[in-house]
Amino acid sequence: MSAETPVQSAGTFTRLRLRFRAWRGRRPFWAGLFTLLGGLPIAYFPYATLKLGTMSIAMATTAGAGSLIIGVLLFTLGLTMWFQQATRIFAGVAAIVLALVSLVVSNIGGFILGFLFALIGGALAVSWAPGAPPRPQPVDEHGTQGGAPHGADPDTAILRPVTDEPAPYEAKESGRDGSSDRTPESAWAGGDDANGGYRVG
């Protein structure tokens, strides 16, 4: 082993983690995961044999086949949420219905565990929506996006220091030559016009 092996393994792990993060963000990942987890106890407990000391407890009933079918369907719906995002609403509604049916068919929904997981997974699948792609920002004259130079934080702003002296009042000029379109008060205050010496407008 060389000294560069840990660095290369760390780089590979980082790349795989980023790929998985990007893959997870494009689909209802948690909805599919909860649905998969919901199908496991529903299908497992009717066929499991629990031992308490020397006593064996079998949960198998006449509804064991129904529990197996519900568990397999929930497992399939969880995979469908991952790889067929267009059918996520149908898969979510079907997962909720199967979770409710498992309360009666499969030992109270796999001892409530499978029921809760499948119900949460179905609700997450129905409420999930794909995110909007980021909009490209315009490029300014310096060749940078967002109007901020490289290495600068676009959220920061340059502010003036707070002082006790009031800022000088600067009147905005109306025209380029400094002329104003306002009529001086002396031109109409003492005049005798049709409005009785008062200007309107």
Side-chain angles (χ1 to χ4, degrees), residues 17-94:
R17 183 176 61 84
L18 293 177
R19 285 182 183 178
F20 174 72
R21 184 178 180 181
W23 178 84
R24 184 187 65 184
R26 293 191 298 266
R27 64 201 72 242
F29 174 77
W30 296 108
L33 181 62
F34 277 110
T35 305
L36 287 172
L37 294 177
L40 292 178
I42 290 176
Y44 173 74
F45 283 126
Y47 295 93
T49 300
L50 304 179
K51 291 186 177 181
L52 297 176
T54 58
M55 182 176 58
S56 299
I57 301 176
M59 298 292 180
T61 60
T62 55
S67 301
L68 181 62
I69 291 173
I70 291 175
V72 171
L73 286 177
L74 286 175
F75 195 84
T76 305
L77 289 174
L79 295 178
T80 303
M81 295 174 189
W82 281 355
F83 299 103
Q84 296 292 332
Q85 297 85 26
T87 61
R88 65 185 182 276
I89 296 179
F90 167 77
V93 172

Side-chain angles (χ1 to χ4, degrees), residues 101-148:
V101 172
S102 68
L103 289 174
V104 181
V105 175
S106 176
N107 295 325
I108 317 176
F111 295 111
I112 306 298
L113 293 177
F115 165 73
L116 290 178
F117 280 134
L119 193 66
I120 293 173
L124 289 176
V126 172
S127 62
W128 185 85
R135 297 181 180 179
Q137 297 181 353
V139 180
D140 60 0
E141 63 272 7
H142 299 290
T144 59
Q145 284 187 338

